[in-house]
Amino acid sequence: MTQTAHPLSSSNLDLERYMNSRYVNGGRVWPEWDCYGMTRQGFIDWYGLALPMLDGLDARSTIGKSRHHETITAAYLQPAEPAHGVLAAQVVGRVCQHVGLVIELAGNLYVMETDEPTGPRIISLSEFVEERIYVRYYAPA
């Protein structure tokens, strides 16, 4: 595994825990996560940063996702380049459609995500970008 200058390492990444979860719309507590719940837990595990819980956010709610994306990025995140430990977000206009966590494994970048109907999975960063198209990256501010 390639070591990077980034403060995170794959050694503190419990992939099994994340992959043994299941997708549930609005899920915030393991083993039931939606994409935001999984990403939120990753930021807690890696940075000790608890993003807002966003209880009751429906993954199908465009208005709710738009409002929360602006609030969270302004208060907690800053734009970043793709790297281990950053958030990858599919953002269309002002609406964040989906999020995942960029991880480095064996020197390559992947995205750990969960969604309906796939559930939790790890895919290459290039596959994530191809599937999601409008991808932005964020790190803790």
Side-chain angles (χ1 to χ4, degrees):
M1 177 155 317
T2 303
Q3 294 294 321
T4 67
H6 199 279
L8 302 178
S9 70
S10 294
S11 63
N12 68 351
L13 190 63
D14 186 355
L15 290 177
E16 188 172 327
R17 176 177 182 231
Y18 285 87
M19 293 300 103
N20 286 323
S21 64
R22 64 184 168 274
Y23 178 85
V24 173
N25 184 13
R28 296 291 180 267
V29 179
W30 186 89
E32 297 179 340
W33 284 323
D34 63 9
C35 65
Y36 179 75
M38 178 183 271
T39 302
R40 181 180 183 278
Q41 187 61 51
F43 269 55
I44 291 169
D45 291 349
W46 295 334
Y47 299 109
L49 173 61
L51 298 173
M53 187 69 92
L54 304 184
D55 284 330
L57 177 63
D58 186 324
R60 296 170 292 262
S61 168
T62 302
I63 294 170
K65 290 192 298 188
S66 173
R67 183 181 73 239
H68 291 304
H69 173 70
E70 291 175 0
T71 301
I72 291 170
T73 54
Y76 298 94
L77 304 174
Q78 63 185 358
E81 294 297 318
H84 182 73
V86 304
L87 182 150
Q90 176 191 17
V91 181
V92 180
R94 296 175 49 212
V95 179
C96 182
Q97 299 287 345
H98 183 66
V99 292
L101 296 164
V102 178
I103 60 174
E104 182 180 341
L105 298 170
N108 297 304
L109 293 178
Y110 295 85
V111 176
M112 182 172 61
E113 64 171 354
T114 190
D115 203 359
E116 195 172 34
T118 64
R121 66 181 182 158
I122 297 172
I123 62 173
S124 69
L125 178 62
S126 61
E127 187 178 355
F128 183 84
V129 170
E130 186 176 308
E131 287 182 6
R132 302 293 176 175
I133 302 174
Y134 303 105
V135 178
R136 296 181 191 169
Y137 303 94
Y138 299 97

